[in-house]
Amino acid sequence: MTDDTTKCPNCNSEHAYQDRDLWICPECAHEWSAADGAAAAAPQETGVRDAHGNALADGDSVIVMKDLKVKGSSSVVKGGTKVRNIRLQDATDGHNIACKIDGIGAMNLKSEFVKKA
């Protein structure tokens, strides 16, 4: 009987073998470490996170990490712009931060382009 750590997480093969710190699947050539498997099994917290993995909350301040074009306008949000008092929202298109930016106005941002200030 094999446990789940010896099954390949990629193809679920039971023929995986251990080579030092890695597990190797001979069927699909996938390699993984037992520590990675334990970390993947741990449940991830839900919520909005910035580009560095920090949890964001309503009212936080964030800094835009790169220049972002404003859709429907010729203006650009410059990298390094600090945005205060954000509001988190559920969005299917990935724009999960609602905010107001000085000189531009109300807009939505993706959390992958900001870092917590």
Side-chain angles (χ1 to χ4, degrees):
M1 177 174 227
T2 59
D3 59 353
D4 289 338
T5 58
T6 59
K7 287 186 179 181
C8 176
N10 198 23
C11 69
N12 207 25
S13 171
E14 295 180 356
H15 302 291
Y17 61 92
Q18 188 172 10
D19 183 23
R20 296 186 187 190
D21 294 336
L22 291 177
W23 285 91
I24 302 170
C25 177
E27 293 182 10
C28 69
H30 180 68
E31 298 179 358
W32 72 98
S33 69
D36 290 342
Q44 292 284 333
E45 281 187 31
T46 58
V48 178
R49 297 193 173 273
D50 69 357
H52 299 293
N54 299 319
L56 297 174
D58 285 338
D60 281 348
S61 295
V62 295
I63 297 173
V64 178
M65 293 177 45
K66 68 177 210 169
D67 291 354
L68 300 173
K69 294 180 183 177
V70 178
K71 190 172 185 178
S73 173
S74 62
S75 58
V76 174
V77 178
K78 294 287 187 179
T81 302
K82 187 171 186 176
V83 181
R84 293 179 178 85
N85 197 20
I86 64 170
R87 293 177 313 280
L88 302 180
Q89 60 186 10
D90 292 328
T92 57
D93 63 350
H95 293 87
N96 48 9
I97 298 174
C99 62
K100 289 183 181 176
I101 299 177
D102 294 336
I104 295 176
M107 66 181 305
N108 295 332
L109 298 172
K110 289 185 179 183
S111 60
E112 63 194 61
F113 298 121
V114 299
K115 64 181 177 179
K116 192 170 185 174

